Amino acid sequence: MEILGHQIQLDHLNTLLGKNQLPQAVLFFGPAGIGKSLIAADLARQLNCQAERDPSCDCRSCQLFAKQSHPDLLFLQSGETNIIKKEEIDERMIPFVNTSPYMGQKKIVIITDAELLNQQAQNALLKTLEEPPAYVWIILTTSQKDQLLPTVLSRCWQLAFFELSHQELTAFFSSHHVDQSSSDLLQFVYDGKIGSIISCLNNQEELQSLSQSINDLAQLLSKSIADRLEWASNQPKLDLDSLNEYVYQLSLIWSRALKQFNTKPD
């Protein structure tokens, strides 16, 4: 998948790679849905590339990284549980990093959504972050850096990522022939969160549902209080983590609906 934006960060990483100075414990932090995990995966690919780290490289190592089946790559993710437990570190990561590379010169661990590591898992990670084997690189990504222990943060070299700029999004929409209505909608709702935008573009039902939700909410603004309360009572029952994300997304949609309502002709 194409990496969009973040040119300053990419240039910095390329400089460190070119000088063989990339720290062995790296933390990418910034808003969700902007491409941190994609950049982490490509960084892992470059670390073991058998050619010249070109994005189009088709060496055997890069082919396996593209399929996420390289024997020297380990992904740790929360899955459906929304938590990464200590057992994941003890039973998967530690044995992985304590054995020599199988195919390349380096072994890479990528931990996405590292804020989902519980406290026991973070503590179990500390020793490896502080003294990784010479052939091991660990890359963490997070959208909630404040959920990580100070001891974890202090052991990582940190790189901040941000939403794509308006100019970058405009160029993306133009190059992918996205119509003006859809691009305006996606840019307003998701701001510069390119991952969320691409996901929505790849799912026309989601895009249509988003548009319909805004139209429905714009109409709701002219309804009675009783109608609004009835709408609220029909909203899904969610756990706390899902509720926070839902409320955030709903606030964005409400903002768009309010703007649409206020611009309707009398």
Side-chain angles (χ1 to χ4, degrees), residues 2-5 164-180 183 187 194 197-198 201:
E2 178 187 4
I3 294 175
L4 301 167
L164 267 65
S165 67
H166 174 75
Q167 290 79 7
E168 289 171 326
L169 285 177
T170 299
F172 167 77
F173 289 133
S174 176
S175 65
H176 289 75
H177 309 292
V178 180
D179 64 84
Q180 189 67 47
S183 62
Q187 187 159 343
I194 189 63
I197 289 172
I198 291 174
L201 285 173

Side-chain angles (χ1 to χ4, degrees), residues 110-170:
I110 297 177
I111 305 178
T112 58
D113 300 321
E115 69 274 7
L116 299 179
L117 288 158
N118 64 20
Q119 185 167 340
Q120 293 77 15
Q122 292 189 49
N123 282 324
L125 184 63
L126 290 177
K127 183 177 180 181
T128 306
L129 287 177
E130 186 168 12
E131 297 178 351
Y135 52 81
V136 169
W137 269 255
I138 302 174
I139 307 170
L140 297 86
T141 72
T142 183
S143 59
Q144 299 178 52
K145 191 174 77 163
D146 60 338
Q147 296 299 310
L148 296 176
L149 297 174
T151 46
V152 170
L153 296 175
S154 67
R155 286 163 171 78
C156 294
W157 176 75
Q158 302 178 33
L159 185 60
F161 289 82
F162 307 94
E163 293 96 340
L164 267 65
S165 67
H166 174 75
Q167 290 79 7
E168 289 171 326
L169 285 177
T170 299

Side-chain angles (χ1 to χ4, degrees), residues 243-261:
L243 181 61
N244 287 336
E245 177 64 20
Y246 179 75
V247 169
Y248 172 71
Q249 294 294 339
L250 188 60
S251 68
L252 295 176
I253 294 173
W254 263 115
S255 297
R256 175 75 183 195
L258 185 61
K259 180 179 179 181
Q260 183 170 311
F261 176 78

Side-chain angles (χ1 to χ4, degrees), residues 24 71-72 74 88-102 106-109 124-125 127-129 131-138:
Q24 288 179 260
D72 296 322
L74 175 65
E88 290 288 296
I89 304 300
D90 292 341
E91 298 173 10
R92 295 187 63 202
M93 193 196 84
I94 299 300
F96 176 80
V97 302
N98 283 339
T99 56
S100 299
Y102 177 78
K106 303 176 179 69
K107 300 190 85 167
I108 300 102
V109 178
L125 184 63
K127 183 177 180 181
T128 306
L129 287 177
E131 297 178 351
Y135 52 81
V136 169
W137 269 255
I138 302 174

Side-chain angles (χ1 to χ4, degrees), residues 56-104:
S56 60
C57 179
D58 63 352
C59 72
R60 180 60 176 161
S61 178
C62 286
Q63 289 178 14
L64 291 173
F65 268 99
K67 299 175 183 176
Q68 295 187 6
S69 60
H70 197 291
D72 296 322
L73 172 67
L74 175 65
F75 269 97
L76 288 184
Q77 299 169 302
S78 66
E80 297 179 355
T81 62
N82 270 344
I83 187 171
I84 304 175
K85 297 182 179 180
K86 181 176 182 289
E87 290 75 13
E88 290 288 296
I89 304 300
D90 292 341
E91 298 173 10
R92 295 187 63 202
M93 193 196 84
I94 299 300
F96 176 80
V97 302
N98 283 339
T99 56
S100 299
Y102 177 78
M103 179 179 170

